[in-house]
Amino acid sequence: MKKNFIVANWKLNGNIQTISNFLNHLRLKISLYLQNNTVVIAPSTIYLERVYNYIKDMNIFLGAQNVDINTQGAFTGETSILMLKDIGAKYVIVGHSERRFLHNENNELISKKFGLVKSLNLIPILCIGETETQKKKNKTKEILTNQLNVIFQDFGEKAFINSIIAYEPIWSIGTGISADPIYVQSIHKFIKDYINKYNSSDIEKIIVQYGGSVNSKNAKNFLEQPDIDGLLIGSASLMYEEFLKILKISNDILCK
Ligand code: 13P
């Protein structure tokens, strides 16, 4: 049965107190909303284990926001995929636009991270998306296919099995300007068809979620679209009331 895939990307936010408060509130209600949702919390690296200890009996999953391409050794300040697996992470976000732009991560590096996550049987959440200028120049599809092609080139036609794609148009992240759900639907269909060309047998299993200024007011409009399989939520995922509202909306849509 289809479930919506809902991820809270907390980015560089939170502290021990706010995280405890959030998760204590989540615990009270979460079981009501898990029938039709797979829920992932992706805190900052330093709080990963703390969050895991809270959520491990809640049927929700731990996600990391980033990983290094090296697994061990003299790489000061980095986090290894072995460590993420060791402490209970199941998902790893790779290629978020904030990493692409603020930390100069290119498609080739991101592809390496994608492969590394999969090689340890964790699940990568690959973020792809276009800038405002690229959208205005009608380059969205070209940009997205470039971002997907490098993964196909490195890992072959079955590259996207056991992985998630997050379509995050960069102009909508953190701006309060969410994309038009009909537009997002058309892009998700394009992404699925593109992957399907290489790998038609597994198309049903491909999860493409949307991210960019999602909140409890617009979540329903996205999740009603047939090819929007979930949400990657930034600022609205920091407030437990808002996050729970979105989970309820998502759960109810699939109950219909
Ligand atoms: P906002 O929901 O704050 O726009 O962030 C989206 C995002 O980047 C999630 O990864």
Side-chain angles (χ1 to χ4, degrees):
M1 197 188 76
K2 184 185 169 180
K3 284 191 172 199
N4 285 325
F5 189 75
I6 310 287
V7 180
N9 177 8
W10 285 351
K11 307 189 180 183
L12 193 58
N13 293 296
N15 57 43
I16 291 174
Q17 206 198 330
T18 60
I19 288 173
S20 308
N21 191 37
F22 183 104
L23 294 171
N24 284 335
H25 281 92
L26 205 65
R27 178 179 292 283
L28 297 176
K29 292 268 178 70
I30 190 75
S31 60
L32 300 173
Y33 308 134
L34 289 181
Q35 188 189 351
N36 299 318
N37 289 318
T38 299
V39 179
V40 177
I41 308 272
S44 166
T45 308
I46 199 158
Y47 297 123
L48 278 166
E49 196 174 5
R50 174 176 290 269
V51 169
Y52 180 70
N53 287 331
Y54 265 93
I55 66 173
K56 64 184 173 200
D57 63 347
M58 284 162 69
N59 262 324
I60 62 180
F61 301 99
L62 186 68
Q65 297 174 16
N66 184 31
V67 66
D68 191 41
I69 52 169
N70 301 290
T71 53
Q72 62 176 17
F75 302 100
T76 303
E78 296 298 347
T79 306
S80 157
I81 191 70
L82 298 174
M83 297 169 184
L84 294 178
K85 188 167 175 141
D86 197 27
I87 58 113
K90 179 162 182 196
Y91 296 88
V92 183
I93 299 171
V94 295
H96 193 282
S97 62
E98 285 150 16
R99 296 222 53 94
R100 290 179 189 263
F101 287 93
L102 303 175
H103 300 272
N104 298 321
E105 293 195 6
N106 60 24
N107 281 338
E108 288 67 34
L109 180 85
I110 290 159
S111 181
K112 277 191 191 148
K113 292 186 177 189
F114 181 94
L116 185 63
V117 173
K118 287 192 74 175
S119 71
L120 270 290
N121 292 323
L122 274 69
I123 300 176
I125 300 172
L126 175 74
C127 299
I128 58 175
E130 80 284 8
T131 64
E132 189 173 15
T133 314
Q134 288 161 343
K135 181 169 193 279
K136 281 187 180 145
K137 287 187 181 160
N138 258 330
K139 293 209 165 216
T140 300
K141 291 181 179 170
E142 183 186 326
I143 297 298
L144 298 178
T145 48
N146 287 345
Q147 291 169 336
L148 295 173
N149 281 346
V150 63
I151 308 270
F152 273 129
Q153 275 151 24
D154 287 351
F155 304 106
E157 59 180 27
K158 300 226 176 265
F160 290 100
I161 292 176
N162 291 329
S163 58
I164 314 277
I165 295 175
Y167 170 56
E168 294 209 309
I170 293 157
W171 45 272
S172 75
I173 295 177
T175 57
I177 305 166
S178 60
D180 175 4
I182 306 289
Y183 169 78
V184 176
Q185 161 61 27
S186 72
I187 297 293
H188 282 213
K189 178 89 176 56
F190 170 78
I191 293 168
K192 289 184 180 183
D193 286 346
Y194 190 75
I195 293 175
N196 195 20
K197 264 197 244 164
Y198 291 87
N199 189 11
S200 53
S201 56
D202 289 291
I203 189 68
E204 292 297 323
K205 294 189 204 137
I206 294 174
I207 294 173
V208 183
Q209 51 171 189
Y210 166 75
S213 297
V214 172
N215 55 44
S216 64
K217 296 203 170 63
N218 60 28
K220 183 167 184 281
N221 299 336
F222 289 110
L223 292 169
E224 278 176 344
Q225 303 298 326
D227 292 301
I228 301 183
D229 309 314
L231 302 167
L232 178 52
I233 310 166
S235 56
S237 75
L238 293 167
M239 297 162 279
Y240 67 84
E241 301 96 329
E242 186 70 358
F243 190 59
L244 282 165
K245 267 191 212 168
I246 296 171
L247 292 181
K248 179 173 184 340
I249 290 163
S250 173
N251 198 63
D252 289 352
I253 281 178
L254 289 179
C255 279
K256 278 183 199 157

